[in-house]
Amino acid sequence: MGLFSRRKTVYVDSDVLVVGGGMAGCGATYESRYWGRDKKVVVVEKANIERSGAVAQGLYAINCYMGMQWGENQPEDHVRYARNDLMGLVREDLGYDIARHVDATVHMFEEWGLPIMKDPETGRYQRDNVLMETGWATMPGSEDANRAVAKACLEVLAAKF
Amino acid sequence: MPTFVYMSSCDGCGECVDICPSDIMHIDPTHRRAYNIEPNFCWECYACVKACPQNAIDVRGYSDFAPLGHSVRVLRDEEKSTISWKIRFRDGREKNFVSPIRTTPWGSIKSPADFPEPRPEAINSQELAHEPQGLNINELPALTRDQLKQGVV
């Protein structure tokens, strides 16, 4: 009796297969359903989707919020920041692409219900005090970010295995 | 600072087994109660503490900075959509923190399939769903060809 001998193998066909159900995977799932209405989208996640991963991409999205609507940062600023942070070893085009889409993503998180701390006077998103000088790090007001987004993702999917 | 289970409160439902990212919360086959099989591998992420419907899981502080008599409890209330922390110090002082889980009701998020279908040619554009309106700016910033060749900035 091996460790895996009691496990069953389930075969699932899909048009779009998303590997990993963290913030990035849930986002990819959302996009897949938006653009491919008649496609079968399957997310595979090794753990529990409501508490998966380390919210790496998700927290990064919230941290690197541009604030383009207030003229705070532009995608070029993110490229400069990431290049400096990683000592030049970056794909600048990818850094640019992440940055130009991130505002819409964070706006969507907020619309879905992710609490974000705001400046009571200006209504702008508050930045973390420590990273204030760099102009980055928007403060999420929730400990439960992946659960909120995963719920949205589950509502998108037709079935849960 | 691993988790431990109050055996008298645990009913062996297995929520902690499902949620544990380290896979170290198991159900004891004899007593039908959850326990931490490998405290050294506990991340102290509090996922099981928040997930436990019986509030039967607690986290023990290391004795060098958390002396006997303290307690750190967390309650995740899905109905009120809040997470509350109660910190009790050894000298009896108590601090309470409440933060929201989300600002909208559970199940209220609109599926992307409920939005009007995008035009078929839109999939070739560089925009993601709900862009550019969702950006709150007029259009999605884009690089020009010469910028790609020379470096972005």
Side-chain angles (χ1 to χ4, degrees):
Chain A
M1 288 289 276
L3 181 60
F4 299 107
S5 58
R6 275 182 299 157
R7 302 202 175 168
K8 269 192 300 183
T9 304
V10 181
Y11 292 91
V12 180
D13 283 327
S14 69
D15 297 311
V16 180
L17 177 67
V18 180
V19 181
M23 295 283 255
C26 290
T29 310
Y30 186 94
E31 289 289 332
S32 306
R33 171 58 74 237
Y34 182 82
W35 295 101
R37 301 293 165 106
D38 52 348
K39 299 284 182 278
K40 184 172 178 190
V41 185
V42 173
V43 183
V44 287
E45 164 57 46
K46 69 175 181 290
N48 189 323
I49 194 167
E50 293 195 9
R51 204 238 164 271
S52 76
V55 204
Q57 195 60 60
L59 195 63
Y60 191 64
I62 294 159
N63 277 344
C64 94
Y65 179 77
M66 297 286 123
M68 288 191 288
Q69 58 176 327
W70 302 305
E72 288 181 347
N73 283 314
Q74 297 303 326
E76 285 85 355
D77 298 318
H78 176 254
V79 173
R80 212 175 286 122
Y81 158 78
R83 187 177 55 200
N84 186 39
D85 212 36
L86 297 164
M87 294 180 280
L89 299 174
V90 281
R91 276 277 304 272
E92 298 193 355
D93 53 338
L94 294 183
Y96 185 92
D97 197 45
I98 290 173
R100 66 183 182 149
H101 291 297
V102 74
D103 276 20
T105 308
V106 176
H107 295 158
M108 205 192 301
F109 288 166
E110 196 193 3
E111 194 187 305
W112 288 348
L114 180 75
I116 296 179
M117 292 184 187
K118 286 185 178 168
D119 187 305
E121 278 170 25
T122 59
R124 294 185 183 184
Y125 294 166
Q126 267 185 8
R127 306 287 183 170
D128 184 289
N129 283 332
V130 183
L131 294 168
M132 189 66 137
E133 286 163 36
T134 61
W136 300 98
T138 302
M139 292 283 284
S142 172
E143 303 174 12
D144 236 17
N146 203 71
R147 198 184 281 243
V149 177
K151 284 272 191 238
C153 180
L154 290 177
E155 284 159 29
V156 169
L157 295 168
K160 190 181 170 187
F161 293 99
Chain B
M1 205 162 83
T3 57
F4 65 96
V5 179
Y6 293 114
M7 289 302 211
S8 50
S9 308
C10 175
D11 64 357
C13 71
E15 289 276 333
C16 55
V17 181
D18 283 345
I19 206 94
C20 177
S22 245
D23 277 345
I24 53 171
M25 293 306 291
H26 285 207
I27 303 286
D28 184 289
T30 314
H31 300 291
R32 307 298 308 158
R33 299 283 183 274
Y35 73 113
N36 188 334
I37 59 160
E38 191 49 77
N40 283 341
F41 282 93
C42 181
W43 302 355
E44 299 114 31
C45 69
Y46 278 80
C48 59
V49 182
K50 290 176 190 169
C52 179
Q54 309 297 330
N55 300 315
I57 308 179
D58 216 341
V59 174
R60 199 190 311 275
Y62 290 120
S63 56
D64 54 351
F65 72 90
L68 283 174
H70 85 292
S71 87
V72 179
R73 302 299 317 264
V74 61
L75 182 70
R76 184 176 185 280
D77 190 331
E78 203 158 299
E79 257 170 54
K80 280 192 253 166
S81 210
T82 54
I83 293 184
S84 326
W85 291 85
K86 186 192 277 279
I87 319 291
R88 193 175 290 127
F89 293 86
R90 197 184 188 183
D91 60 8
R93 273 180 302 148
E94 211 177 270
K95 290 195 174 175
N96 291 284
F97 302 95
V98 183
S99 60
I101 297 175
R102 58 186 286 182
T103 57
T104 51
W106 295 96
S108 66
I109 299 166
K110 206 169 148 187
S111 163
D114 296 339
F115 287 91
E117 207 163 330
R119 285 171 290 108
E121 65 270 22
I123 199 158
N124 295 322
S125 80
Q126 298 188 16
E127 287 161 2
L128 296 179
H130 315 306
E131 282 177 351
Q133 308 91 307
L135 288 164
N136 292 356
I137 52 174
N138 292 332
E139 60 174 341
L140 184 71
L143 293 171
T144 53
R145 281 183 183 279
D146 57 309
Q147 262 180 306
L148 277 173
K149 220 173 240 173
Q150 294 159 5
V152 174
V153 278

